[in-house]
Amino acid sequence: TQTLETTSSFNRTHCLFHLLLFRRFYASFHFSMKLTFLLTLLLSTTQSSRSLSFKTNMPPSQLSPSTLEAIKSAKGVLFDIDGTLADSWKLGFDATQVVLEKNQYPSIDEECYHAHCIYTTPNRLARHAGLVPGDSDFESLGERLGAEFDNHYVELVSTQTAGFYDGMQSLLDNIPADVSLGALTNACVAYADAVLHVNDNVITRFSSVRGADNVPAPKPNADGLLMCCKDMGVNPEDCVYIGDSPSDGMAAQAAGMLSLGVLWGSHTESSLSNAPFVHLCSTVEELQSMLPQKS
């Protein structure tokens, strides 16, 4: 009998132990599930917030009537050059490789080239050479490599290396004569002049052409666009700027003018969606439909 009572007592204790262990496990598991649920909810909310921060590329018909009217009635239309008017990235890429090889720096790939097109030529080449802003010779090396690049680059401009995108000449021809045209690039102004000369001498239609070397500060600063507006005799708020880089949208916003982004240049749609463009155009035809046109 004593043995049975001892065994029974042992079994009760054993069962109680397992019951307590199970309750602790269940509580821990329940807490873990709650924690997992909360973390999942937090992450999904964060991801939703991020996705909402990207601007939706609405069709022109869904833009506000006032914005469309402001673009359609613009008194001045300004363009970036590379990746906007001219299909010239291969020229810039090849010229960059020549300069880097000549100065015994490693070559770069196309992705690296496109990613650095937001910078001025000296700044971009100094970075390609492995320097970063703040390095003692960043500016001096950039200026030297940039000068070599410009000398090589400008001489190679032709309709084969820097021809306008299909439909771009027609787009320019259809802008009324009383609407002033301007061009601003972060390349040197000699390059911009050369591109506009070789493409049917369209430079005669432009009231202002400026590059990073003849403005106080390059894009994304507003200085170049404001100088173009002064050359053209129009107010910034009466103009629209068209470009393929986030820095184009930022420069336009800083200058107080509307801007349109184009998706056929060096930069991705996701990067342009974060820039302050009012709309992103997928084709030259779509861009033309939004600009002032001859009746």
Side-chain angles (χ1 to χ4, degrees):
T1 305
Q2 187 176 5
T3 302
L4 290 174
E5 288 177 353
T6 302
T7 302
S8 177
S9 176
F10 173 81
N11 287 338
R12 285 196 301 270
T13 304
H14 190 65
C15 288
L16 182 59
F17 172 79
H18 280 84
L19 179 59
L20 291 172
L21 186 63
F22 175 79
R23 290 181 63 184
R24 293 187 64 180
F25 168 79
Y26 177 80
S28 177
F29 175 78
H30 190 58
F31 174 78
S32 178
M33 290 297 290
K34 280 186 175 180
L35 183 60
T36 301
F37 172 78
L38 289 172
L39 287 173
T40 302
L41 182 62
L42 179 62
L43 286 172
S44 63
T45 303
T46 303
Q47 289 169 351
S48 298
S49 299
R50 287 176 179 170
S51 65
L52 289 173
S53 70
F54 286 88
K55 179 173 57 182
T56 301
N57 187 21
M58 299 181 295
S61 60
Q62 293 184 19
L63 292 175
S64 70
S66 60
T67 299
L68 278 172
E69 177 58 28
I71 296 171
K72 278 283 190 182
S73 61
K75 296 178 181 178
V77 180
L78 299 99
F79 296 87
D80 174 48
I81 300 287
D82 292 327
T84 301
L85 288 175
D87 186 7
S88 50
W89 78 266
K90 191 68 166 58
L91 169 60
F93 177 71
D94 290 345
T96 297
Q97 302 289 49
V98 169
V99 170
L100 292 176
E101 181 180 357
K102 178 182 176 183
N103 288 273
Q104 299 182 330
Y105 291 109
S107 61
I108 59 170
D109 58 23
E110 294 176 10
E111 183 178 359
C112 179
Y113 172 77
H114 287 304
H116 285 73
C117 283
I118 59 173
Y119 303 112
T120 61
T121 301
N123 190 312
R124 178 175 65 81
L125 284 163
R127 291 170 186 267
H128 289 329
L131 300 183
V132 295
D135 287 347
S136 59
D137 53 350
F138 182 85
E139 291 188 9
S140 59
L141 179 63
E143 290 297 331
R144 181 172 66 79
L145 296 179
E148 290 182 20
F149 176 88
D150 287 343
N151 291 335
H152 182 65
Y153 187 52
V154 175
E155 290 179 355
L156 297 176
V157 171
S158 69
T159 52
Q160 286 72 45
T161 60
F164 279 176
Y165 287 98
D166 290 343
M168 193 58 70
Q169 187 65 55
S170 174
L171 179 151
L172 295 173
D173 290 343
N174 276 284
I175 295 176
D178 61 348
V179 176
S180 296
L181 298 187
L184 174 66
T185 175
N186 264 357
C188 64
V189 69
Y191 170 75
D193 287 341
V195 172
L196 297 177
H197 271 299
V198 300
N199 285 281
D200 291 335
N201 201 34
V202 74
I203 194 169
T204 59
R205 179 66 176 84
F206 282 71
S207 303
S208 178
V209 181
R210 291 196 173 264
D213 56 340
N214 71 341
V215 297
K219 298 177 288 187
N221 295 284
D223 303 59
L225 288 176
L226 294 177
M227 291 190 74
C228 285
C229 288
K230 186 175 181 180
D231 296 340
M232 297 159 63
V234 292
N235 295 320
E237 59 268 25
D238 296 324
C239 294
V240 57
Y241 184 49
I242 300 148
D244 74 310
S245 168
S247 62
D248 296 322
M250 294 166 66
Q253 183 181 55
M257 66 177 67
L258 296 173
S259 60
L260 297 171
V262 301
L263 297 175
W264 51 81
S266 286
H267 300 274
T268 64
E269 183 172 357
S270 61
S271 67
L272 296 180
S273 294
N274 282 327
F277 293 110
V278 298
H279 179 71
L280 302 180
C281 296
S282 300
T283 65
V284 174
E285 291 73 23
E286 181 184 0
L287 174 61
Q288 181 172 333
S289 72
M290 300 186 68
L291 296 178
Q293 295 186 56
K294 293 177 180 177
S295 55

